Short mmCIF file of all heavy atoms in Angstrom, two decimals:
data_model
loop_
_atom_site.label_atom_id
_atom_site.label_comp_id
_atom_site.label_asym_id
_atom_site.label_seq_id
_atom_site.Cartn_x
_atom_site.Cartn_y
_atom_site.Cartn_z
N TYR A 295 10.51 -42.54 -50.64
CA TYR A 295 9.67 -42.95 -49.51
C TYR A 295 9.91 -41.98 -48.36
O TYR A 295 11.07 -41.74 -47.98
CB TYR A 295 10.03 -44.38 -49.08
CG TYR A 295 9.29 -44.86 -47.86
CD1 TYR A 295 7.91 -44.99 -47.86
CD2 TYR A 295 9.99 -45.20 -46.71
CE1 TYR A 295 7.23 -45.43 -46.74
CE2 TYR A 295 9.32 -45.64 -45.58
CZ TYR A 295 7.94 -45.75 -45.61
OH TYR A 295 7.29 -46.19 -44.48
N TYR A 299 7.52 -39.83 -38.15
CA TYR A 299 7.48 -40.57 -36.90
C TYR A 299 7.21 -39.63 -35.73
O TYR A 299 7.64 -38.48 -35.72
CB TYR A 299 8.81 -41.30 -36.66
CG TYR A 299 9.06 -42.46 -37.57
CD1 TYR A 299 9.65 -42.29 -38.81
CD2 TYR A 299 8.70 -43.75 -37.18
CE1 TYR A 299 9.87 -43.37 -39.66
CE2 TYR A 299 8.92 -44.83 -38.02
CZ TYR A 299 9.51 -44.62 -39.25
OH TYR A 299 9.72 -45.70 -40.08
N GLN A 301 7.86 -39.54 -31.64
CA GLN A 301 8.64 -40.22 -30.62
C GLN A 301 8.41 -39.58 -29.26
O GLN A 301 8.62 -38.37 -29.09
CB GLN A 301 10.14 -40.21 -30.95
CG GLN A 301 10.97 -41.08 -30.00
CD GLN A 301 12.45 -41.05 -30.31
OE1 GLN A 301 12.98 -40.05 -30.78
NE2 GLN A 301 13.14 -42.16 -30.03
N GLY A 304 12.19 -41.53 -24.53
CA GLY A 304 12.69 -42.85 -24.16
C GLY A 304 12.06 -44.02 -24.88
O GLY A 304 12.31 -45.18 -24.53
N LYS A 305 11.24 -43.72 -25.89
CA LYS A 305 10.55 -44.80 -26.59
C LYS A 305 10.95 -44.86 -28.05
O LYS A 305 11.60 -43.96 -28.57
CB LYS A 305 9.04 -44.62 -26.45
CG LYS A 305 8.56 -44.72 -25.02
CD LYS A 305 7.05 -44.75 -24.94
CE LYS A 305 6.59 -44.94 -23.48
NZ LYS A 305 5.11 -45.02 -23.39
N ARG A 306 10.53 -45.92 -28.70
CA ARG A 306 10.82 -46.07 -30.12
C ARG A 306 10.02 -45.08 -30.94
O ARG A 306 8.95 -44.65 -30.53
CB ARG A 306 10.48 -47.49 -30.57
CG ARG A 306 8.97 -47.73 -30.70
CD ARG A 306 8.66 -49.04 -31.38
NE ARG A 306 8.75 -50.15 -30.46
CZ ARG A 306 8.48 -51.41 -30.81
NH1 ARG A 306 8.16 -51.70 -32.03
NH2 ARG A 306 8.57 -52.37 -29.93
N PRO A 307 10.52 -44.71 -32.11
CA PRO A 307 9.71 -43.87 -33.01
C PRO A 307 8.48 -44.66 -33.48
O PRO A 307 8.58 -45.84 -33.79
CB PRO A 307 10.66 -43.59 -34.17
CG PRO A 307 12.01 -43.95 -33.70
CD PRO A 307 11.84 -45.03 -32.69
N LEU A 309 5.57 -44.81 -36.35
CA LEU A 309 5.15 -44.32 -37.66
C LEU A 309 3.73 -43.77 -37.58
O LEU A 309 2.82 -44.45 -37.09
CB LEU A 309 5.20 -45.46 -38.67
CG LEU A 309 4.76 -45.13 -40.09
CD1 LEU A 309 5.75 -44.17 -40.74
CD2 LEU A 309 4.61 -46.40 -40.93
N ARG A 314 4.63 -41.98 -50.56
CA ARG A 314 5.57 -42.41 -51.58
C ARG A 314 5.53 -41.43 -52.74
O ARG A 314 4.56 -40.69 -52.89
CB ARG A 314 5.26 -43.84 -52.01
CG ARG A 314 5.55 -44.81 -50.89
CD ARG A 314 5.09 -46.21 -51.12
NE ARG A 314 5.48 -47.05 -50.00
CZ ARG A 314 4.79 -47.17 -48.87
NH1 ARG A 314 3.67 -46.51 -48.73
NH2 ARG A 314 5.24 -47.93 -47.90
N PHE A 352 9.69 -36.61 -36.23
CA PHE A 352 10.81 -36.72 -37.16
C PHE A 352 10.29 -37.03 -38.56
O PHE A 352 9.44 -37.92 -38.73
CB PHE A 352 11.76 -37.84 -36.75
CG PHE A 352 12.51 -37.59 -35.47
CD1 PHE A 352 12.07 -38.14 -34.28
CD2 PHE A 352 13.65 -36.82 -35.47
CE1 PHE A 352 12.76 -37.93 -33.10
CE2 PHE A 352 14.35 -36.60 -34.30
CZ PHE A 352 13.90 -37.15 -33.10
N SER A 356 14.06 -42.10 -47.75
CA SER A 356 14.89 -43.20 -48.23
C SER A 356 14.37 -43.64 -49.58
O SER A 356 13.26 -43.30 -49.99
CB SER A 356 14.88 -44.39 -47.27
OG SER A 356 13.71 -45.15 -47.43
N ALA A 357 15.18 -44.42 -50.27
CA ALA A 357 14.67 -45.16 -51.41
C ALA A 357 13.85 -46.31 -50.84
O ALA A 357 14.20 -46.86 -49.78
CB ALA A 357 15.83 -45.69 -52.25
N ASN A 358 12.76 -46.66 -51.48
CA ASN A 358 11.85 -47.64 -50.91
C ASN A 358 12.29 -49.06 -51.25
O ASN A 358 11.61 -49.79 -51.95
CB ASN A 358 10.44 -47.39 -51.40
CG ASN A 358 9.41 -48.19 -50.62
OD1 ASN A 358 9.64 -48.56 -49.47
ND2 ASN A 358 8.30 -48.48 -51.24
N GLN A 359 13.46 -49.42 -50.74
CA GLN A 359 13.98 -50.76 -50.95
C GLN A 359 14.39 -51.33 -49.61
O GLN A 359 14.76 -50.60 -48.70
CB GLN A 359 15.21 -50.70 -51.87
CG GLN A 359 14.90 -50.15 -53.25
CD GLN A 359 16.16 -49.85 -54.03
OE1 GLN A 359 17.25 -50.19 -53.60
NE2 GLN A 359 16.01 -49.22 -55.17
N ALA A 360 14.32 -52.64 -49.49
CA ALA A 360 14.56 -53.27 -48.20
C ALA A 360 15.95 -52.97 -47.65
O ALA A 360 16.13 -52.88 -46.45
CB ALA A 360 14.39 -54.79 -48.33
N GLY A 361 16.94 -52.78 -48.49
CA GLY A 361 18.30 -52.57 -48.02
C GLY A 361 18.69 -51.14 -47.82
O GLY A 361 19.87 -50.84 -47.62
N THR A 362 17.72 -50.24 -47.86
CA THR A 362 18.04 -48.81 -47.78
C THR A 362 17.58 -48.24 -46.46
O THR A 362 16.42 -48.38 -46.08
CB THR A 362 17.36 -48.05 -48.93
OG1 THR A 362 17.72 -48.65 -50.16
CG2 THR A 362 17.81 -46.59 -48.93
N ALA A 363 18.50 -47.56 -45.77
CA ALA A 363 18.20 -47.00 -44.46
C ALA A 363 17.39 -45.71 -44.59
O ALA A 363 17.45 -45.00 -45.59
CB ALA A 363 19.49 -46.72 -43.70
N LEU A 364 16.66 -45.42 -43.54
CA LEU A 364 16.00 -44.13 -43.41
C LEU A 364 17.00 -43.10 -42.90
O LEU A 364 17.78 -43.39 -41.99
CB LEU A 364 14.85 -44.21 -42.42
CG LEU A 364 13.61 -45.00 -42.85
CD1 LEU A 364 12.67 -45.17 -41.67
CD2 LEU A 364 12.90 -44.30 -43.99
N PHE A 366 17.05 -39.43 -41.15
CA PHE A 366 16.10 -38.63 -40.40
C PHE A 366 16.46 -37.15 -40.39
O PHE A 366 17.63 -36.77 -40.43
CB PHE A 366 16.06 -39.12 -38.94
CG PHE A 366 15.35 -40.42 -38.77
CD1 PHE A 366 16.00 -41.62 -38.98
CD2 PHE A 366 14.01 -40.45 -38.40
CE1 PHE A 366 15.35 -42.84 -38.82
CE2 PHE A 366 13.35 -41.65 -38.23
CZ PHE A 366 14.01 -42.85 -38.45
N GLY A 367 15.43 -36.33 -40.31
CA GLY A 367 15.61 -34.93 -39.99
C GLY A 367 15.95 -34.78 -38.52
O GLY A 367 15.92 -35.75 -37.76
N LYS A 368 16.24 -33.56 -38.10
CA LYS A 368 16.69 -33.32 -36.73
C LYS A 368 15.56 -33.30 -35.71
O LYS A 368 15.81 -33.28 -34.51
CB LYS A 368 17.47 -32.01 -36.65
CG LYS A 368 18.81 -32.07 -37.37
CD LYS A 368 19.66 -30.86 -37.07
CE LYS A 368 20.97 -30.90 -37.84
NZ LYS A 368 21.79 -32.06 -37.47
N ALA B 841 4.95 -55.79 -31.22
CA ALA B 841 6.28 -55.51 -31.75
C ALA B 841 6.67 -56.57 -32.76
O ALA B 841 6.42 -57.77 -32.55
CB ALA B 841 7.28 -55.46 -30.62
N VAL B 843 9.90 -56.20 -34.13
CA VAL B 843 11.35 -56.19 -33.94
C VAL B 843 11.60 -56.11 -32.43
O VAL B 843 11.10 -55.21 -31.76
CB VAL B 843 12.02 -55.01 -34.65
CG1 VAL B 843 13.50 -54.92 -34.27
CG2 VAL B 843 11.88 -55.16 -36.16
N THR B 871 18.76 -57.33 -44.15
CA THR B 871 19.38 -56.07 -43.77
C THR B 871 18.69 -55.50 -42.54
O THR B 871 17.47 -55.46 -42.47
CB THR B 871 19.26 -55.05 -44.92
OG1 THR B 871 19.81 -55.62 -46.10
CG2 THR B 871 20.02 -53.78 -44.58
N PHE B 873 19.31 -52.16 -39.53
CA PHE B 873 19.98 -50.87 -39.40
C PHE B 873 20.16 -50.54 -37.92
O PHE B 873 19.28 -50.79 -37.11
CB PHE B 873 19.16 -49.77 -40.08
CG PHE B 873 18.82 -50.08 -41.51
CD1 PHE B 873 17.57 -50.57 -41.84
CD2 PHE B 873 19.76 -49.91 -42.51
CE1 PHE B 873 17.25 -50.88 -43.15
CE2 PHE B 873 19.45 -50.23 -43.83
CZ PHE B 873 18.20 -50.71 -44.15
N TYR B 875 20.96 -47.40 -35.27
CA TYR B 875 20.96 -45.96 -35.09
C TYR B 875 21.41 -45.64 -33.66
O TYR B 875 21.25 -46.44 -32.74
CB TYR B 875 19.55 -45.39 -35.29
CG TYR B 875 19.02 -45.47 -36.71
CD1 TYR B 875 18.36 -46.62 -37.17
CD2 TYR B 875 19.15 -44.40 -37.59
CE1 TYR B 875 17.87 -46.70 -38.45
CE2 TYR B 875 18.64 -44.47 -38.88
CZ TYR B 875 18.00 -45.62 -39.30
OH TYR B 875 17.51 -45.69 -40.59
N GLN B 877 21.03 -42.38 -30.81
CA GLN B 877 20.31 -41.14 -30.55
C GLN B 877 20.77 -40.56 -29.23
O GLN B 877 20.54 -41.15 -28.17
CB GLN B 877 18.80 -41.39 -30.53
CG GLN B 877 17.97 -40.13 -30.40
CD GLN B 877 16.48 -40.38 -30.46
OE1 GLN B 877 15.99 -41.44 -30.05
NE2 GLN B 877 15.72 -39.44 -30.99
N GLN B 881 18.34 -35.21 -29.55
CA GLN B 881 18.85 -35.18 -30.91
C GLN B 881 18.12 -36.22 -31.77
O GLN B 881 17.27 -36.96 -31.28
CB GLN B 881 20.35 -35.42 -30.93
CG GLN B 881 21.16 -34.31 -30.27
CD GLN B 881 22.65 -34.46 -30.48
OE1 GLN B 881 23.11 -35.11 -31.42
NE2 GLN B 881 23.43 -33.84 -29.60
N SER B 882 18.48 -36.23 -33.03
CA SER B 882 17.82 -37.12 -33.97
C SER B 882 18.45 -38.51 -33.95
O SER B 882 19.46 -38.75 -33.30
CB SER B 882 17.90 -36.53 -35.37
OG SER B 882 17.16 -37.30 -36.28
N LEU B 883 17.85 -39.42 -34.69
CA LEU B 883 18.41 -40.75 -34.88
C LEU B 883 19.47 -40.65 -35.97
O LEU B 883 19.18 -40.25 -37.10
CB LEU B 883 17.34 -41.76 -35.31
CG LEU B 883 16.33 -42.19 -34.25
CD1 LEU B 883 15.20 -41.18 -34.12
CD2 LEU B 883 15.76 -43.56 -34.59
N LEU B 885 22.12 -42.67 -38.28
CA LEU B 885 22.46 -43.99 -38.78
C LEU B 885 23.93 -44.27 -38.50
O LEU B 885 24.81 -43.49 -38.84
CB LEU B 885 22.20 -44.06 -40.28
CG LEU B 885 22.53 -45.38 -40.97
CD1 LEU B 885 21.59 -46.49 -40.48
CD2 LEU B 885 22.42 -45.23 -42.49
N PHE B 930 21.28 -43.76 -26.61
CA PHE B 930 20.14 -44.63 -26.89
C PHE B 930 20.42 -45.27 -28.24
O PHE B 930 20.56 -44.58 -29.25
CB PHE B 930 18.86 -43.78 -26.92
CG PHE B 930 17.57 -44.54 -27.02
CD1 PHE B 930 17.22 -45.47 -26.05
CD2 PHE B 930 16.70 -44.33 -28.06
CE1 PHE B 930 16.02 -46.16 -26.12
CE2 PHE B 930 15.48 -45.01 -28.14
CZ PHE B 930 15.16 -45.94 -27.17
N ILE B 932 19.23 -47.91 -31.20
CA ILE B 932 17.98 -48.50 -31.67
C ILE B 932 18.18 -49.14 -33.04
O ILE B 932 18.91 -48.61 -33.88
CB ILE B 932 16.86 -47.42 -31.69
CG1 ILE B 932 15.50 -48.05 -31.94
CG2 ILE B 932 17.16 -46.31 -32.68
CD1 ILE B 932 14.36 -47.11 -31.59
N ARG B 936 13.28 -54.05 -42.16
CA ARG B 936 12.11 -54.06 -43.06
C ARG B 936 11.97 -55.47 -43.60
O ARG B 936 12.95 -56.17 -43.82
CB ARG B 936 12.34 -53.07 -44.20
CG ARG B 936 11.20 -52.97 -45.19
CD ARG B 936 11.56 -52.04 -46.33
NE ARG B 936 11.32 -50.65 -45.99
CZ ARG B 936 11.76 -49.62 -46.71
NH1 ARG B 936 12.48 -49.85 -47.77
NH2 ARG B 936 11.49 -48.39 -46.36
N ARG B 937 10.75 -55.91 -43.79
CA ARG B 937 10.51 -57.27 -44.27
C ARG B 937 11.24 -57.50 -45.59
O ARG B 937 11.13 -56.71 -46.52
CB ARG B 937 9.02 -57.50 -44.47
CG ARG B 937 8.23 -57.52 -43.18
CD ARG B 937 6.75 -57.67 -43.43
NE ARG B 937 6.00 -57.51 -42.18
CZ ARG B 937 5.72 -58.50 -41.35
NH1 ARG B 937 6.09 -59.73 -41.65
NH2 ARG B 937 5.05 -58.28 -40.24
N ASN B 942 7.26 -51.34 -50.42
CA ASN B 942 6.16 -50.64 -49.78
C ASN B 942 5.91 -51.11 -48.35
O ASN B 942 4.77 -51.10 -47.89
CB ASN B 942 4.87 -50.77 -50.61
CG ASN B 942 5.01 -50.09 -51.96
OD1 ASN B 942 5.73 -49.11 -52.09
ND2 ASN B 942 4.35 -50.63 -52.95
N GLN B 943 6.93 -51.56 -47.68
CA GLN B 943 6.80 -51.94 -46.28
C GLN B 943 7.53 -50.92 -45.41
O GLN B 943 8.61 -50.46 -45.77
CB GLN B 943 7.41 -53.33 -46.05
CG GLN B 943 6.63 -54.46 -46.70
CD GLN B 943 5.30 -54.69 -46.02
OE1 GLN B 943 5.21 -54.68 -44.81
NE2 GLN B 943 4.27 -54.89 -46.82
N PRO B 944 6.94 -50.57 -44.28
CA PRO B 944 7.62 -49.60 -43.41
C PRO B 944 8.78 -50.25 -42.66
O PRO B 944 8.86 -51.47 -42.55
CB PRO B 944 6.51 -49.20 -42.43
CG PRO B 944 5.64 -50.40 -42.35
CD PRO B 944 5.65 -51.00 -43.74
N GLN B 945 9.66 -49.42 -42.13
CA GLN B 945 10.70 -49.88 -41.23
C GLN B 945 10.06 -50.16 -39.87
O GLN B 945 9.22 -49.41 -39.41
CB GLN B 945 11.76 -48.79 -41.05
CG GLN B 945 12.58 -48.48 -42.27
CD GLN B 945 13.80 -49.37 -42.41
OE1 GLN B 945 14.04 -50.23 -41.57
NE2 GLN B 945 14.56 -49.18 -43.47
N PHE B 947 10.92 -50.61 -35.89
CA PHE B 947 11.97 -50.29 -34.93
C PHE B 947 11.86 -51.16 -33.69
O PHE B 947 10.76 -51.52 -33.24
CB PHE B 947 11.89 -48.82 -34.52
CG PHE B 947 12.40 -47.88 -35.57
CD1 PHE B 947 11.56 -47.40 -36.57
CD2 PHE B 947 13.73 -47.50 -35.59
CE1 PHE B 947 12.03 -46.55 -37.55
CE2 PHE B 947 14.22 -46.65 -36.57
CZ PHE B 947 13.37 -46.18 -37.55
N GLY B 948 13.02 -51.47 -33.11
CA GLY B 948 13.04 -52.08 -31.80
C GLY B 948 12.73 -51.03 -30.75
O GLY B 948 12.59 -49.84 -31.06
N ASP B 949 12.62 -51.47 -29.50
CA ASP B 949 12.32 -50.54 -28.41
C ASP B 949 13.53 -49.71 -27.97
O ASP B 949 13.39 -48.79 -27.18
CB ASP B 949 11.79 -51.30 -27.19
CG ASP B 949 10.31 -51.65 -27.35
OD1 ASP B 949 9.60 -50.89 -28.05
OD2 ASP B 949 9.88 -52.66 -26.78
N ARG B 952 19.02 -48.28 -23.83
CA ARG B 952 19.65 -47.11 -23.20
C ARG B 952 20.92 -47.57 -22.53
O ARG B 952 20.88 -48.36 -21.59
CB ARG B 952 18.70 -46.46 -22.20
CG ARG B 952 19.26 -45.16 -21.63
CD ARG B 952 18.19 -44.25 -21.09
NE ARG B 952 17.15 -43.92 -22.05
CZ ARG B 952 17.29 -43.03 -23.02
NH1 ARG B 952 18.42 -42.37 -23.17
NH2 ARG B 952 16.29 -42.78 -23.86
#
Side-chain angles (χ1 to χ4, degrees):
Chain A
Y295 176 63
Y299 289 86
Q301 188 181 32
K305 296 189 177 182
R306 74 169 81 178
L309 178 68
R314 292 171 178 85
F352 292 98
S356 79
N358 192 25
Q359 299 168 8
T362 306
L364 289 171
F366 286 84
K368 292 190 183 298
Chain B
V843 172
T871 306
F873 307 100
Y875 293 86
Q877 186 176 31
Q881 294 189 23
S882 185
L883 288 83
L885 179 67
F930 188 59
I932 190 164
R936 181 184 277 168
R937 292 177 187 271
N942 296 329
Q943 291 290 318
Q945 293 273 359
F947 285 88
D949 280 331
R952 186 157 304 282

